[in-house]
Each structure stands twice: as C-alpha cells, then as structure tokens.
Amino acid sequence: VRNRASLTGAAREVFAAQGLEAPLDQIARQAGVGIATLYRHFPTRVELIDEILADAVRTYVAIADEALDMDDPWAGLVLYLTETFRLSATNRGITELMSMRLPDSCQTEGFRTELFQKVVQVVSRARDSGAARQDITVEDIVLLTWANAGLVGAAGDIAPTAWQRHLGLVLAGLKASAEGDPIAAPMTPEQVRAAMTARGRECTGNH
Amino acid sequence: VRNRASLTGAAREVFAAQGLEAPLDQIARQAGVGIATLYRHFPTRVELIDEILADAVRTYVAIADEALDMDDPWAGLVLYLTETFRLSATNRGITELMSMRLPDSCQTEGFRTELFQKVVQVVSRARDSGAARQDITVEDIVLLTWANAGLVGAAGDIAPTAWQRHLGLVLAGLKASAEGDPIAAPMTPEQVRAAMTARGRECTGNH
C-alpha cells in the first residue's frame, strides 16, 4: 500500500512536469521502488495514467459545475475556459490527456463523458443567452483547448501567462457581437473522437 | 553533390512529416546513403535543419510581401495568417521551427529577421487603418502561430482544416470592433526570444 502511494505521488509529479510519455523508470526511482514493483502495481502505462488523471478530469467537471451555477451564462463560459486553461498551463499531463482518449474501460473516460455533457450545457447556455455567437459548438471548446496546449508548450516557463492573452483574443471572437463574416465549419464530434483515439494509441502503445 | 541533393530531399520530406527531431539515420536511409555520409555533409543536426528550413522561412517572407502589397491592410493581415497557418498545417518541421531559434550564424535566422520586420509592418498597417484592434503586437502573431501549431498537432490528418476554424474565431477577436474589455498584456519581445532560444537548444542539442 505504501509503495502504491509513493508511486502515484511520483507519477503525479513526473506526468505534470514531463507529460504522459515520461520514462516509467524515472517514476519508479522517484518513488524509491524498483521498476518491477511499478509493473506489479501498474502492468501497463495506461493503468498508471488512468489512476493519476481521473482526478484531473474530475477537477474539470467541478469547474464545469461551477460555471453552470453562475447566473450569467457568458460569465460561466469565461470561467470554464479560464480555469481549465490555467490548470493546463501548469500540468503537462492534463494538457496531453485533453487531446487523447484512453480505452473506454478507464475510469478517466467515465468522468470525461460526464465532463463533455456538462460542457455542452456551458456552451448552449452561453449561446441561448445571446451573449455568445450562435455558431459555436462544444467541439470548438476542444479546439481551443488544443490551441492553448500548443502555446503553453511553446511559451514554457518563460512566458507563463501568455495563455491569458490568447484566451482574451479568443473570447473577444466568441462574443455574439463578433459574429460577422461566415467562418469555417467546426470540427465534427466524429473528428474529435477519432483524433483523440489516434493520439491515445500513440501514447499508451509504449510502456 | 548527388549525395547532398539526395540528403536534402530526404530531409525535407522527413522533417515535414515527423518534425525536426526525426532520426537522422532514417534520413540517411531514405537518401540511400550511410549515416557517415550524412555526417560528412552535415556534421550537426542544426546544419541540416538550417539547409532545409531557410527556404521555408523565405516562403513566409514572400507571403508577408504579398500581404504588404495589398491595398487593404486588414486583408493583408488575414492573408498572412491564413497562408502561413496553411503551410504550418502540412509541414511539421516549419511548425516546430516557428517556436525555436537556431544559432544566429544560421542563414535561417537572417531570413527570420527579415520576416519579423515585415510582419511588424503587416500588423501596424492593420492597426493604423483602424480595422484591427489597437492593442495587438507582432508578438501576438507569434502567439497565434504557436496556438495554431498545437491544434494542428492534435487534430492531425483527421481534422486537417480545423486550423481554419480557430483562425476564424481569432480573426473575429482581432477586429477593431471586438476590442472591448481589457485583456492580458501581450508577450514581450524578450519573452518570445528567450522561449524560442530555449526550445532551439532543446531540439538541436541532440544529434
């Protein structure tokens, strides 16, 4: 039991700092156990990721709940994007998880389904209130999350709040008042699912 | 001479598909030469990157020239972002180069300096015309380029035009009419330079 707690503690830190493809032997070393002990507790990388990241997705669900509790639907959308982007700026593992699916059997995916349903509501409330543009979809939130991940990776520790600037420009573009010329179509739900599934296989296929 | 041409042809394809940290022995194999021949022509990875990517930066310069030739400064900004994001969506090597600096001695950096000066003009024309918001800077163009790179990487071949959707939302936010509540400050020139220098060292430090 104590080994397992050391392993999850070390994995949480290492995944946050280095992402989900971090070397497992480094996690074992940081936990003060051998690699064989790690494999006994977590026979595959995906089981360790699932153990660590399920909590992170639950945190996203809590943010969505908070957004849905707000009287002002636009403020709810702003809160959801701001707080999830903030988390992503400090945790590379969460950021990577948001562009990949784990196998459906993982608890993480159960929480993700719940999250997705709530973010649909965050978006539709903002749209229905007339504050957000009428053509945005939940897939746009996914798209912006991926864009945010890219700039966070590039800006690194050197411009740690650059994500706030991008978010400010994006929010200005999401407002109903910014809806002018037609823009390209959003991603389809099938595209989002397929892209995330492909990346999940890429990451968790190795040990 | 023939070996060198084979090597640069192979490097162009491999860097475009896999990015700038692609294995050099794969480039040699694809060129039909041994790794020793590769190292004879390009003793370090950065020399090979510089040979291949200088052309790419020149293409960006040509796009900036085209943007500056347009009578409508806003249309020029739209053209610059659209065409450079389009290139980035199909060439992972260029995308990565745009978030890292090579050593100053590289010809790529000479073209980049030229590019930067021209993009400053693309942005200031759009601002001065009153079409773009007054608070945008050339560092915002860099930031958006990094964001675009992130979503292109995540959407992959499955949603190959997702970048157009993000760009549409961002352009709506860049318009003068979208300038409302104050947003976070842009990155400073020093932050952009330091972040790109750090990533350049990370990539070209290995062989």
Side-chain angles (χ1 to χ4, degrees):
Chain A
V1 171
R2 195 186 305 163
N3 279 347
R4 193 178 176 93
S6 304
L7 280 165
T8 53
R12 190 165 285 114
E13 283 177 27
V14 172
F15 285 153
Q18 295 181 37
L20 302 177
E21 302 197 55
L24 295 182
D25 56 358
Q26 185 184 337
I27 293 174
R29 208 163 45 239
Q30 191 161 322
V33 306
I35 189 76
T37 303
L38 183 150
Y39 285 138
R40 197 158 54 244
H41 286 281
F42 301 101
T44 62
R45 176 182 293 267
V46 73
E47 287 168 81
L48 185 54
I49 292 177
D50 190 35
E51 176 89 7
I52 304 304
L53 275 291
D55 271 352
V57 178
R58 258 198 300 223
T59 306
Y60 276 47
V61 172
I63 295 170
D65 280 332
E66 202 185 329
L68 291 172
D69 275 346
M70 294 183 83
D71 290 331
D72 177 351
W74 172 256
L77 178 62
V78 172
L79 176 97
Y80 180 77
L81 288 171
T82 305
E83 295 311 315
T84 56
F85 284 16
R86 187 190 308 282
L87 275 177
S88 161
T90 57
N91 189 317
R92 194 165 148 196
I94 298 178
T95 306
E96 291 183 4
L97 183 75
M98 287 298 151
S99 70
M100 69 174 67
R101 274 187 77 81
L102 302 183
D104 286 341
S105 57
C106 291
Q107 53 173 340
T108 299
E109 294 308 328
F111 293 126
R112 174 134 46 192
T113 302
E114 188 185 348
L115 174 63
F116 195 78
Q117 287 160 351
K118 289 188 172 174
V119 179
V120 166
Q121 290 176 56
V122 170
V123 173
S124 62
R125 281 179 84 219
R127 223 168 32 209
D128 296 348
S129 74
R133 51 194 303 156
Q134 294 303 298
D135 58 354
I136 59 167
T137 69
V138 68
E139 286 75 27
D140 288 326
I141 306 303
V142 177
L143 183 70
L144 296 174
T145 301
W146 293 348
N148 184 62
L151 72 89
V152 161
D157 297 336
I158 291 164
T161 60
W163 65 269
Q164 296 176 356
R165 176 76 174 177
H166 174 253
L167 179 58
L169 293 172
V170 161
L171 286 172
L174 289 177
K175 280 194 180 160
S177 52
E179 196 170 355
D181 303 329
I183 64 171
M187 290 191 289
T188 65
E190 292 72 27
Q191 282 178 319
V192 169
R193 195 182 170 91
M196 291 178 69
T197 302
R199 277 170 72 90
R201 270 198 297 266
E202 213 173 275
C203 169
T204 60
N206 63 1
H207 228 120
Chain B
V1 170
R2 195 187 304 164
N3 280 346
R4 192 177 177 94
S6 304
L7 279 166
T8 54
R12 190 165 286 115
E13 284 177 26
V14 172
F15 285 153
Q18 296 181 36
L20 302 177
E21 302 198 55
L24 295 183
D25 55 358
Q26 186 186 336
I27 293 173
R29 207 162 43 238
Q30 192 162 322
V33 305
I35 188 75
T37 303
L38 184 148
Y39 285 138
R40 198 159 52 245
H41 286 281
F42 301 101
T44 62
R45 176 182 292 268
V46 73
E47 286 167 84
L48 185 54
I49 293 176
D50 189 35
E51 176 89 7
I52 305 302
L53 275 292
D55 272 351
V57 178
R58 257 195 303 218
T59 307
Y60 276 47
V61 172
I63 295 170
D65 280 332
E66 201 184 330
L68 291 172
D69 275 346
M70 294 183 83
D71 289 330
D72 177 353
W74 172 256
L77 178 62
V78 172
L79 175 97
Y80 181 77
L81 289 171
T82 305
E83 295 311 317
T84 56
F85 284 17
R86 187 190 307 282
L87 276 176
S88 162
T90 57
N91 189 316
R92 194 165 148 198
I94 298 178
T95 307
E96 292 183 5
L97 182 75
M98 287 298 150
S99 70
M100 68 174 68
R101 273 186 78 81
L102 301 183
D104 285 342
S105 57
C106 291
Q107 53 173 340
T108 299
E109 294 307 328
F111 294 126
R112 177 138 41 194
T113 302
E114 188 184 348
L115 174 63
F116 195 80
Q117 287 160 350
K118 290 188 171 174
V119 180
V120 166
Q121 291 176 56
V122 170
V123 173
S124 63
R125 280 178 84 220
R127 222 168 33 208
D128 295 348
S129 74
R133 49 194 304 155
Q134 293 304 297
D135 59 353
I136 58 168
T137 70
V138 68
E139 286 75 27
D140 289 326
I141 306 303
V142 177
L143 184 71
L144 297 174
T145 301
W146 293 349
N148 183 64
L151 72 89
V152 161
D157 297 337
I158 291 164
T161 59
W163 65 270
Q164 296 176 356
R165 176 76 174 177
H166 174 253
L167 179 57
L169 293 173
V170 161
L171 286 172
L174 289 177
K175 281 194 181 160
S177 53
E179 195 170 356
D181 304 328
I183 64 172
M187 290 190 288
T188 64
E190 292 72 27
Q191 282 178 318
V192 169
R193 195 182 170 91
M196 291 178 68
T197 302
R199 277 170 72 89
R201 269 197 297 265
E202 214 173 272
C203 169
T204 59
N206 64 0
H207 228 119

